[in-house]
Amino acid sequence: MPISMLDLITNALIEIGAYSMGEPIDPAEALFCLSKFNRLLDSWNTQRLYAYNNTFASIPLDPNHQPHTIGPGADFNVPQRPVTIEDANIILNSVNPPVRSPLNLRDYEWWANQRTQTIAMTLPTDLYYSPDFPIGNMYLWPVPTLPYLLEIWSRCVLGTVANLTVLLSLAPGYESALTLSLAETLISPFQAQPSQILMADALTARAAIQRTNSKPPKISTMD
């Protein structure tokens, strides 16, 4: 069931003993807790094990254009640019049915050592993603000359919460992990006594979603 942002904050404050059940939360303190919550989400977004899914996007390519940008107001206009790109394909949409051609994901060292960055061909084979902020840059090599589609898979980002009335729809395990983790961050500002039980419960809740989000490495043999 969705939970309001104010209810989650209230639960976190009760966990550290700053408020009692049924006691109204001071508006200024609630806004401070909201700020702490958003900072917590921002920190989690840097860590792969807190991303519960990969999101899919299909982007029309502009021939002979480099780089293709992604983010607010970019070539591909999304609220926030991806933290990472996990997988990518070129969709050959000129045939029926369309065919996916996998792209090799490259790092900055490969791109920096690429001698012919502006060479153009019909079908790119490689992608280097530069996660600049607030706009990310996607460098395709060779530069595409046809308007194919670029299919990317990127880590899901936990969005910030605008106000206290927002209803949070959270994946399994996240309500407990976020409530208890927020409570931990509020111990010092509210001059509460650290609780070993709270810290252990918060660690257990975070470990639960990290186990769910972790993926075993792919193993291959010579055969």
PDB file of all heavy atoms in Angstrom, residues 30 34-35 38 42 45 47 56 60 68 70-71 75 86 88-89 96 109 114 123 129 157 162-163 183 193 219 221:
ATOM      1  N   ALA A  30       9.439  18.626   9.963  1.00  0.00           N
ATOM      2  CA  ALA A  30       9.046  17.709   8.898  1.00  0.00           C
ATOM      3  C   ALA A  30       9.748  18.056   7.588  1.00  0.00           C
ATOM      4  O   ALA A  30      10.202  17.169   6.859  1.00  0.00           O
ATOM      5  CB  ALA A  30       7.530  17.737   8.722  1.00  0.00           C
ATOM      6  N   LEU A  34      12.321  15.859   5.340  1.00  0.00           N
ATOM      7  CA  LEU A  34      12.152  15.641   3.906  1.00  0.00           C
ATOM      8  C   LEU A  34      13.461  15.886   3.176  1.00  0.00           C
ATOM      9  O   LEU A  34      13.838  15.134   2.267  1.00  0.00           O
ATOM     10  CB  LEU A  34      11.056  16.549   3.368  1.00  0.00           C
ATOM     11  CG  LEU A  34      10.826  16.512   1.852  1.00  0.00           C
ATOM     12  CD1 LEU A  34      10.410  15.121   1.386  1.00  0.00           C
ATOM     13  CD2 LEU A  34       9.768  17.538   1.444  1.00  0.00           C
ATOM     14  N   SER A  35      14.170  16.941   3.577  1.00  0.00           N
ATOM     15  CA  SER A  35      15.467  17.232   2.968  1.00  0.00           C
ATOM     16  C   SER A  35      16.456  16.095   3.230  1.00  0.00           C
ATOM     17  O   SER A  35      17.190  15.668   2.332  1.00  0.00           O
ATOM     18  CB  SER A  35      16.017  18.550   3.517  1.00  0.00           C
ATOM     19  OG  SER A  35      17.340  18.774   3.064  1.00  0.00           O
ATOM     20  N   ASN A  38      15.583  13.120   0.939  1.00  0.00           N
ATOM     21  CA  ASN A  38      16.031  13.287  -0.443  1.00  0.00           C
ATOM     22  C   ASN A  38      17.540  13.127  -0.567  1.00  0.00           C
ATOM     23  O   ASN A  38      18.032  12.613  -1.574  1.00  0.00           O
ATOM     24  CB  ASN A  38      15.576  14.643  -0.978  1.00  0.00           C
ATOM     25  CG  ASN A  38      14.106  14.648  -1.372  1.00  0.00           C
ATOM     26  OD1 ASN A  38      13.571  13.637  -1.811  1.00  0.00           O
ATOM     27  ND2 ASN A  38      13.443  15.780  -1.199  1.00  0.00           N
ATOM     28  N   ASP A  42      19.511  10.420  -2.855  1.00  0.00           N
ATOM     29  CA  ASP A  42      20.605  10.832  -3.741  1.00  0.00           C
ATOM     30  C   ASP A  42      21.829   9.949  -3.530  1.00  0.00           C
ATOM     31  O   ASP A  42      22.504   9.558  -4.488  1.00  0.00           O
ATOM     32  CB  ASP A  42      20.938  12.302  -3.471  1.00  0.00           C
ATOM     33  CG  ASP A  42      21.994  12.834  -4.424  1.00  0.00           C
ATOM     34  OD1 ASP A  42      21.767  12.789  -5.649  1.00  0.00           O
ATOM     35  OD2 ASP A  42      23.046  13.319  -3.949  1.00  0.00           O
ATOM     36  N   ASN A  45      21.248   6.443  -5.004  1.00  0.00           N
ATOM     37  CA  ASN A  45      21.283   6.400  -6.466  1.00  0.00           C
ATOM     38  C   ASN A  45      22.685   6.210  -7.024  1.00  0.00           C
ATOM     39  O   ASN A  45      22.848   5.904  -8.206  1.00  0.00           O
ATOM     40  CB  ASN A  45      20.662   7.678  -7.047  1.00  0.00           C
ATOM     41  CG  ASN A  45      19.143   7.643  -7.031  1.00  0.00           C
ATOM     42  OD1 ASN A  45      18.538   6.575  -7.065  1.00  0.00           O
ATOM     43  ND2 ASN A  45      18.519   8.803  -6.968  1.00  0.00           N
ATOM     44  N   GLN A  47      24.640   3.886  -5.926  1.00  0.00           N
ATOM     45  CA  GLN A  47      25.008   2.505  -5.628  1.00  0.00           C
ATOM     46  C   GLN A  47      24.090   1.540  -6.371  1.00  0.00           C
ATOM     47  O   GLN A  47      22.873   1.581  -6.224  1.00  0.00           O
ATOM     48  CB  GLN A  47      24.928   2.262  -4.119  1.00  0.00           C
ATOM     49  CG  GLN A  47      25.798   3.224  -3.314  1.00  0.00           C
ATOM     50  CD  GLN A  47      25.624   3.058  -1.822  1.00  0.00           C
ATOM     51  OE1 GLN A  47      25.868   1.983  -1.280  1.00  0.00           O
ATOM     52  NE2 GLN A  47      25.191   4.111  -1.152  1.00  0.00           N
ATOM     53  N   PHE A  56      13.972   0.846 -19.638  1.00  0.00           N
ATOM     54  CA  PHE A  56      14.182   0.680 -21.074  1.00  0.00           C
ATOM     55  C   PHE A  56      13.738   1.948 -21.797  1.00  0.00           C
ATOM     56  O   PHE A  56      12.728   2.554 -21.444  1.00  0.00           O
ATOM     57  CB  PHE A  56      13.388  -0.530 -21.570  1.00  0.00           C
ATOM     58  CG  PHE A  56      13.053  -0.506 -23.015  1.00  0.00           C
ATOM     59  CD1 PHE A  56      13.987  -0.883 -23.967  1.00  0.00           C
ATOM     60  CD2 PHE A  56      11.808  -0.089 -23.441  1.00  0.00           C
ATOM     61  CE1 PHE A  56      13.678  -0.866 -25.305  1.00  0.00           C
ATOM     62  CE2 PHE A  56      11.481  -0.064 -24.781  1.00  0.00           C
ATOM     63  CZ  PHE A  56      12.423  -0.458 -25.719  1.00  0.00           C
ATOM     64  N   PRO A  60      15.144   7.664 -31.129  1.00  0.00           N
ATOM     65  CA  PRO A  60      15.422   7.821 -32.562  1.00  0.00           C
ATOM     66  C   PRO A  60      16.745   8.555 -32.772  1.00  0.00           C
ATOM     67  O   PRO A  60      17.009   9.584 -32.142  1.00  0.00           O
ATOM     68  CB  PRO A  60      14.232   8.655 -33.063  1.00  0.00           C
ATOM     69  CG  PRO A  60      13.702   9.349 -31.857  1.00  0.00           C
ATOM     70  CD  PRO A  60      13.987   8.460 -30.688  1.00  0.00           C
ATOM     71  N   HIS A  68      24.755  12.106 -29.106  1.00  0.00           N
ATOM     72  CA  HIS A  68      23.340  12.163 -28.777  1.00  0.00           C
ATOM     73  C   HIS A  68      23.237  12.382 -27.264  1.00  0.00           C
ATOM     74  O   HIS A  68      23.890  11.680 -26.491  1.00  0.00           O
ATOM     75  CB  HIS A  68      22.628  10.875 -29.186  1.00  0.00           C
ATOM     76  CG  HIS A  68      22.375  10.786 -30.656  1.00  0.00           C
ATOM     77  ND1 HIS A  68      23.338  10.383 -31.553  1.00  0.00           N
ATOM     78  CD2 HIS A  68      21.269  11.071 -31.401  1.00  0.00           C
ATOM     79  CE1 HIS A  68      22.833  10.414 -32.785  1.00  0.00           C
ATOM     80  NE2 HIS A  68      21.576  10.823 -32.727  1.00  0.00           N
ATOM     81  N   ILE A  70      21.165  12.956 -23.506  1.00  0.00           N
ATOM     82  CA  ILE A  70      20.017  12.442 -22.762  1.00  0.00           C
ATOM     83  C   ILE A  70      19.933  13.160 -21.417  1.00  0.00           C
ATOM     84  O   ILE A  70      20.951  13.356 -20.743  1.00  0.00           O
ATOM     85  CB  ILE A  70      20.114  10.912 -22.585  1.00  0.00           C
ATOM     86  CG1 ILE A  70      18.870  10.359 -21.891  1.00  0.00           C
ATOM     87  CG2 ILE A  70      21.383  10.497 -21.853  1.00  0.00           C
ATOM     88  CD1 ILE A  70      18.764   8.841 -21.932  1.00  0.00           C
ATOM     89  N   GLY A  71      18.731  13.587 -21.060  1.00  0.00           N
ATOM     90  CA  GLY A  71      18.530  14.350 -19.834  1.00  0.00           C
ATOM     91  C   GLY A  71      17.455  15.400 -20.047  1.00  0.00           C
ATOM     92  O   GLY A  71      16.806  15.438 -21.096  1.00  0.00           O
ATOM     93  N   ASP A  75      18.502  15.798 -26.447  1.00  0.00           N
ATOM     94  CA  ASP A  75      17.973  15.104 -27.621  1.00  0.00           C
ATOM     95  C   ASP A  75      16.895  14.115 -27.203  1.00  0.00           C
ATOM     96  O   ASP A  75      15.840  14.022 -27.830  1.00  0.00           O
ATOM     97  CB  ASP A  75      19.094  14.358 -28.358  1.00  0.00           C
ATOM     98  CG  ASP A  75      20.129  15.303 -28.941  1.00  0.00           C
ATOM     99  OD1 ASP A  75      19.762  16.444 -29.286  1.00  0.00           O
ATOM    100  OD2 ASP A  75      21.300  14.900 -29.048  1.00  0.00           O
ATOM    101  N   GLU A  86      23.443   0.180 -18.939  1.00  0.00           N
ATOM    102  CA  GLU A  86      23.784  -1.210 -18.657  1.00  0.00           C
ATOM    103  C   GLU A  86      23.860  -2.058 -19.924  1.00  0.00           C
ATOM    104  O   GLU A  86      24.605  -3.037 -19.972  1.00  0.00           O
ATOM    105  CB  GLU A  86      22.743  -1.813 -17.708  1.00  0.00           C
ATOM    106  CG  GLU A  86      22.589  -1.066 -16.391  1.00  0.00           C
ATOM    107  CD  GLU A  86      23.825  -1.142 -15.524  1.00  0.00           C
ATOM    108  OE1 GLU A  86      24.383  -2.253 -15.391  1.00  0.00           O
ATOM    109  OE2 GLU A  86      24.255  -0.099 -14.995  1.00  0.00           O
ATOM    110  N   ALA A  88      22.861  -1.866 -24.519  1.00  0.00           N
ATOM    111  CA  ALA A  88      22.403  -1.022 -25.631  1.00  0.00           C
ATOM    112  C   ALA A  88      22.389  -1.818 -26.926  1.00  0.00           C
ATOM    113  O   ALA A  88      23.217  -2.712 -27.140  1.00  0.00           O
ATOM    114  CB  ALA A  88      23.302   0.201 -25.779  1.00  0.00           C
ATOM    115  N   ASN A  89      21.427  -1.487 -27.782  1.00  0.00           N
ATOM    116  CA  ASN A  89      21.298  -2.101 -29.108  1.00  0.00           C
ATOM    117  C   ASN A  89      20.939  -1.036 -30.129  1.00  0.00           C
ATOM    118  O   ASN A  89      20.324  -0.020 -29.792  1.00  0.00           O
ATOM    119  CB  ASN A  89      20.187  -3.164 -29.123  1.00  0.00           C
ATOM    120  CG  ASN A  89      20.414  -4.284 -28.139  1.00  0.00           C
ATOM    121  OD1 ASN A  89      21.375  -5.015 -28.242  1.00  0.00           O
ATOM    122  ND2 ASN A  89      19.518  -4.410 -27.181  1.00  0.00           N
ATOM    123  N   ASN A  96      11.476  -5.867 -41.582  1.00  0.00           N
ATOM    124  CA  ASN A  96      10.327  -6.385 -40.857  1.00  0.00           C
ATOM    125  C   ASN A  96      10.478  -7.898 -40.688  1.00  0.00           C
ATOM    126  O   ASN A  96      10.550  -8.624 -41.684  1.00  0.00           O
ATOM    127  CB  ASN A  96       9.034  -6.052 -41.605  1.00  0.00           C
ATOM    128  CG  ASN A  96       7.799  -6.390 -40.805  1.00  0.00           C
ATOM    129  OD1 ASN A  96       7.865  -6.494 -39.581  1.00  0.00           O
ATOM    130  ND2 ASN A  96       6.678  -6.564 -41.489  1.00  0.00           N
ATOM    131  N   GLU A 109      38.557   5.408 -21.478  1.00  0.00           N
ATOM    132  CA  GLU A 109      39.903   5.137 -21.982  1.00  0.00           C
ATOM    133  C   GLU A 109      39.839   4.669 -23.434  1.00  0.00           C
ATOM    134  O   GLU A 109      40.661   5.070 -24.268  1.00  0.00           O
ATOM    135  CB  GLU A 109      40.593   4.085 -21.112  1.00  0.00           C
ATOM    136  CG  GLU A 109      40.935   4.588 -19.712  1.00  0.00           C
ATOM    137  CD  GLU A 109      41.645   3.547 -18.881  1.00  0.00           C
ATOM    138  OE1 GLU A 109      41.627   2.352 -19.288  1.00  0.00           O
ATOM    139  OE2 GLU A 109      42.220   3.898 -17.842  1.00  0.00           O
ATOM    140  N   GLN A 114      40.545   6.309 -29.162  1.00  0.00           N
ATOM    141  CA  GLN A 114      39.979   6.066 -30.485  1.00  0.00           C
ATOM    142  C   GLN A 114      40.503   7.127 -31.460  1.00  0.00           C
ATOM    143  O   GLN A 114      40.239   8.319 -31.299  1.00  0.00           O
ATOM    144  CB  GLN A 114      38.451   6.114 -30.411  1.00  0.00           C
ATOM    145  CG  GLN A 114      37.735   5.776 -31.693  1.00  0.00           C
ATOM    146  CD  GLN A 114      38.142   4.423 -32.239  1.00  0.00           C
ATOM    147  OE1 GLN A 114      38.786   4.354 -33.276  1.00  0.00           O
ATOM    148  NE2 GLN A 114      37.796   3.355 -31.529  1.00  0.00           N
ATOM    149  N   LEU A 123      26.005   1.541 -39.654  1.00  0.00           N
ATOM    150  CA  LEU A 123      25.671   0.794 -38.445  1.00  0.00           C
ATOM    151  C   LEU A 123      26.757   0.942 -37.381  1.00  0.00           C
ATOM    152  O   LEU A 123      27.863   0.427 -37.552  1.00  0.00           O
ATOM    153  CB  LEU A 123      25.473  -0.694 -38.771  1.00  0.00           C
ATOM    154  CG  LEU A 123      25.007  -1.583 -37.622  1.00  0.00           C
ATOM    155  CD1 LEU A 123      23.633  -1.143 -37.130  1.00  0.00           C
ATOM    156  CD2 LEU A 123      24.987  -3.040 -38.068  1.00  0.00           C
ATOM    157  N   TYR A 129      29.348   6.097 -23.069  1.00  0.00           N
ATOM    158  CA  TYR A 129      28.444   7.002 -22.365  1.00  0.00           C
ATOM    159  C   TYR A 129      29.224   7.837 -21.374  1.00  0.00           C
ATOM    160  O   TYR A 129      29.899   7.311 -20.483  1.00  0.00           O
ATOM    161  CB  TYR A 129      27.354   6.217 -21.633  1.00  0.00           C
ATOM    162  CG  TYR A 129      26.428   7.090 -20.806  1.00  0.00           C
ATOM    163  CD1 TYR A 129      25.707   8.119 -21.405  1.00  0.00           C
ATOM    164  CD2 TYR A 129      26.288   6.893 -19.442  1.00  0.00           C
ATOM    165  CE1 TYR A 129      24.861   8.925 -20.666  1.00  0.00           C
ATOM    166  CE2 TYR A 129      25.433   7.682 -18.690  1.00  0.00           C
ATOM    167  CZ  TYR A 129      24.726   8.700 -19.307  1.00  0.00           C
ATOM    168  OH  TYR A 129      23.890   9.506 -18.555  1.00  0.00           O
ATOM    169  N   VAL A 157      16.360   5.017 -11.285  1.00  0.00           N
ATOM    170  CA  VAL A 157      16.755   6.060 -10.335  1.00  0.00           C
ATOM    171  C   VAL A 157      15.602   6.335  -9.382  1.00  0.00           C
ATOM    172  O   VAL A 157      14.441   6.451  -9.796  1.00  0.00           O
ATOM    173  CB  VAL A 157      17.153   7.354 -11.082  1.00  0.00           C
ATOM    174  CG1 VAL A 157      17.437   8.471 -10.100  1.00  0.00           C
ATOM    175  CG2 VAL A 157      18.376   7.106 -11.949  1.00  0.00           C
ATOM    176  N   ALA A 162       8.846  15.793  -3.692  1.00  0.00           N
ATOM    177  CA  ALA A 162       8.664  17.246  -3.740  1.00  0.00           C
ATOM    178  C   ALA A 162       8.072  17.818  -2.454  1.00  0.00           C
ATOM    179  O   ALA A 162       8.444  18.914  -2.025  1.00  0.00           O
ATOM    180  CB  ALA A 162       7.786  17.627  -4.937  1.00  0.00           C
ATOM    181  N   ASN A 163       7.138  17.103  -1.841  1.00  0.00           N
ATOM    182  CA  ASN A 163       6.488  17.655  -0.648  1.00  0.00           C
ATOM    183  C   ASN A 163       5.993  16.533   0.252  1.00  0.00           C
ATOM    184  O   ASN A 163       6.059  15.352  -0.091  1.00  0.00           O
ATOM    185  CB  ASN A 163       5.339  18.599  -1.037  1.00  0.00           C
ATOM    186  CG  ASN A 163       4.301  17.913  -1.905  1.00  0.00           C
ATOM    187  OD1 ASN A 163       3.619  16.991  -1.456  1.00  0.00           O
ATOM    188  ND2 ASN A 163       4.199  18.335  -3.164  1.00  0.00           N
ATOM    189  N   ALA A 183      15.659   7.138   9.870  1.00  0.00           N
ATOM    190  CA  ALA A 183      15.730   7.265  11.325  1.00  0.00           C
ATOM    191  C   ALA A 183      17.185   7.363  11.795  1.00  0.00           C
ATOM    192  O   ALA A 183      17.519   8.175  12.664  1.00  0.00           O
ATOM    193  CB  ALA A 183      15.027   6.078  11.980  1.00  0.00           C
ATOM    194  N   GLN A 193      19.207   9.204  21.423  1.00  0.00           N
ATOM    195  CA  GLN A 193      20.173   8.210  21.851  1.00  0.00           C
ATOM    196  C   GLN A 193      20.307   7.124  20.783  1.00  0.00           C
ATOM    197  O   GLN A 193      19.303   6.563  20.350  1.00  0.00           O
ATOM    198  CB  GLN A 193      19.728   7.577  23.179  1.00  0.00           C
ATOM    199  CG  GLN A 193      19.793   8.517  24.369  1.00  0.00           C
ATOM    200  CD  GLN A 193      21.218   8.966  24.667  1.00  0.00           C
ATOM    201  OE1 GLN A 193      22.164   8.167  24.576  1.00  0.00           O
ATOM    202  NE2 GLN A 193      21.378  10.233  25.020  1.00  0.00           N
ATOM    203  N   ILE A 219      29.052 -16.514 -16.072  1.00  0.00           N
ATOM    204  CA  ILE A 219      30.248 -17.346 -16.194  1.00  0.00           C
ATOM    205  C   ILE A 219      30.168 -18.122 -17.501  1.00  0.00           C
ATOM    206  O   ILE A 219      29.134 -18.696 -17.848  1.00  0.00           O
ATOM    207  CB  ILE A 219      30.352 -18.324 -15.002  1.00  0.00           C
ATOM    208  CG1 ILE A 219      30.432 -17.534 -13.678  1.00  0.00           C
ATOM    209  CG2 ILE A 219      31.558 -19.236 -15.160  1.00  0.00           C
ATOM    210  CD1 ILE A 219      30.441 -18.425 -12.451  1.00  0.00           C
ATOM    211  N   THR A 221      32.554 -20.757 -20.313  1.00  0.00           N
ATOM    212  CA  THR A 221      33.694 -21.656 -20.447  1.00  0.00           C
ATOM    213  C   THR A 221      34.223 -21.596 -21.866  1.00  0.00           C
ATOM    214  O   THR A 221      33.623 -20.990 -22.746  1.00  0.00           O
ATOM    215  CB  THR A 221      33.280 -23.104 -20.094  1.00  0.00           C
ATOM    216  OG1 THR A 221      32.356 -23.568 -21.090  1.00  0.00           O
ATOM    217  CG2 THR A 221      32.630 -23.174 -18.733  1.00  0.00           C
TER     218      THR A 221
END
